[in-house]
Amino acid sequence: MTTEQTSHAADIEAINQLVATVEHSQQNKDPEEFLALFHPDAIWTTAHGKVLIGLDAISEFTREVLPASNWDGRVTYEVVHVFFIRPDVAAVKVRQRYLAPGEESEGAPLYVVSKQANGRWQLTACQNTGVVAD
């Protein structure tokens, strides 16, 4: 563990829990659990390049798309790297994998998360990028 990681151990654990909650909400196609993770002024860019600004736009999209998603399998999210831009702002690189019988796809999201006055980390600016197989 680097010195930065040691000094931010509790924050890294909280960020890992945030990403685990993203995973849980996606596996269960639960828009309310997912939306509770966002800062009210968040920006979200989908894997297909749709830009959503603010929680209202993210909510409208998520409530329409997530429950209706037709993938039949499992999704995993793994924190690959955390870079603290400031003590209360971090860039989080995630490995996202969709696993279904006979198929697998991968994403490489980048989440910028911010720590609120109450100590809670929230998704603030996120880019969900699909990985194209060679």
Side-chain angles (χ1 to χ4, degrees):
M1 202 178 262
T2 69
T3 303
E4 179 180 43
Q5 289 172 323
T6 302
S7 67
H8 290 290
D11 290 322
I12 290 173
E13 178 56 35
I15 290 166
N16 276 306
Q17 184 57 52
L18 173 74
V19 173
T21 304
V22 170
E23 176 181 286
H24 185 267
S25 70
Q26 298 299 300
Q27 285 179 355
N28 292 286
K29 300 179 185 178
D30 184 342
E32 300 314 313
E33 181 180 40
F34 181 65
L35 294 168
L37 302 172
F38 283 89
H39 184 280
D41 299 318
I43 300 168
W44 182 269
T45 304
T46 71
H48 301 290
K50 183 172 181 76
V51 178
L52 306 166
I53 299 175
L55 189 53
D56 288 345
I58 296 166
S59 296
E60 181 180 346
F61 176 84
T62 300
R63 287 185 179 117
E64 179 183 327
V65 173
L66 185 57
S69 60
N70 62 2
W71 57 273
D72 185 28
R74 192 168 77 89
V75 61
T76 64
Y77 289 72
E78 173 191 1
V79 173
V80 176
H81 184 75
V82 177
F83 168 62
F84 286 91
I85 299 166
R86 299 185 337 204
D88 62 340
V89 177
V92 182
K93 195 64 188 162
V94 175
R95 181 177 187 213
Q96 172 191 58
R97 295 174 60 213
Y98 287 97
L99 309 165
E103 72 177 89
E104 179 178 329
S105 63
E106 188 169 332
L110 175 65
Y111 300 158
V112 176
V113 297
S114 58
K115 188 175 186 178
Q116 305 310 299
N118 64 4
R120 184 171 172 245
W121 286 91
Q122 289 186 309
L123 298 170
T124 305
C126 305
Q127 172 78 42
N128 193 5
T129 305
V131 175
V132 178
D134 293 332

